[in-house]
Amino acid sequence: MAKFRSIILCSIALMIPLAGCSGKNNFVQNDKKMVTQSPPSANKPSADTKNVKYRQNGTSIQVVSNPETVPVLINKLNKLPDDYTPNDLTYPNIPFTFKEKIEKRKMRAIAAAAIEKLFAGAKQDGVNLLGVSAYRSHAVQTSLFNSYVKRDGYEAAKTYSAVPGTSEHETGLAIDVTGGDGKCAAEKCFGGTEEAAWLEDHVAEYGFIIRYPKGKDAITGYTYEPWHIRYVGKSIAKEIMSRGITLEEYVNATPVNN
């Protein structure tokens, strides 16, 4: 009987650290050429938990616990929970490069209202804009990223496309735009256009920033994207754009350094 009791106590003792490990905020994921798995569900934070950290392809990633916050920082080191979907997505009344009423037209309500005003302001100044791509679900981002991995390889793909969960498009607060002729949509040639110059000068008035400015690659992890604008609210946008800094620098976050 004593021997049997000892076995039971040992079993209980062994179970305690195992349960603790499953609840810890550390997860090591093996290097993959395709993104096919997410951190275990035990590591998904709720609104009242601390940020969760794990490793993906040798990089320390932090899962944000405040995805609904308007100025939330999402980049290669800070990702959204895999089950996150904005609960206030809506269709802004702006023209896009396509006619279909599909997912990538959507934005969060506050950003949708702001982008409508931005487009109207641009038109008053004689500048016509078109939306290219706004919200992107986690599933769509995964499919898109994996298609780039298949075509160019993982290392190449992550230089121009976001690993699922780290794309600002998943927040519903970002949108790619282009000129009214639809040319240079999400392409480098947009950088020299009248529309790009107008955005640089005026986005902050409507609460947006040029998210990936020129010369900030080592901080944001991405090259210059004059077409990618992100809603953060007017006061923050005006400070970021007037100082010529990034969202990372504004919140004193660790530079991505690619």
Side-chain angles (χ1 to χ4, degrees), residues 33-38 56 79 81-83 103 136-150 154 157 161-167 169-170:
K33 296 302 181 184
M34 303 282 276
V35 177
T36 57
Q37 291 184 337
S38 302
Q56 177 175 287
K79 74 184 292 293
D82 290 340
D83 59 356
E103 180 182 86
R136 204 176 292 153
S137 68
H138 186 77
V140 168
Q141 183 64 30
T142 299
S143 178
L144 181 65
F145 183 78
N146 282 345
S147 70
Y148 293 142
V149 170
K150 185 176 181 179
Y154 180 84
S161 181
V163 172
T166 69
S167 171
H169 288 280
E170 293 180 58

Side-chain angles (χ1 to χ4, degrees), residues 76 147-149 151-153 155-162 222 225:
K76 293 182 179 182
S147 70
Y148 293 142
V149 170
R151 185 185 70 187
D152 300 325
E155 291 302 321
K158 72 177 185 177
T159 65
Y160 61 83
S161 181
Y222 295 102
E225 291 189 3

Side-chain angles (χ1 to χ4, degrees), residues 91 98-106:
Y91 293 101
F98 52 90
K99 299 297 183 182
E100 298 81 7
K101 195 172 183 179
I102 53 179
E103 180 182 86
K104 65 179 183 177
R105 277 182 177 265
K106 293 182 177 181

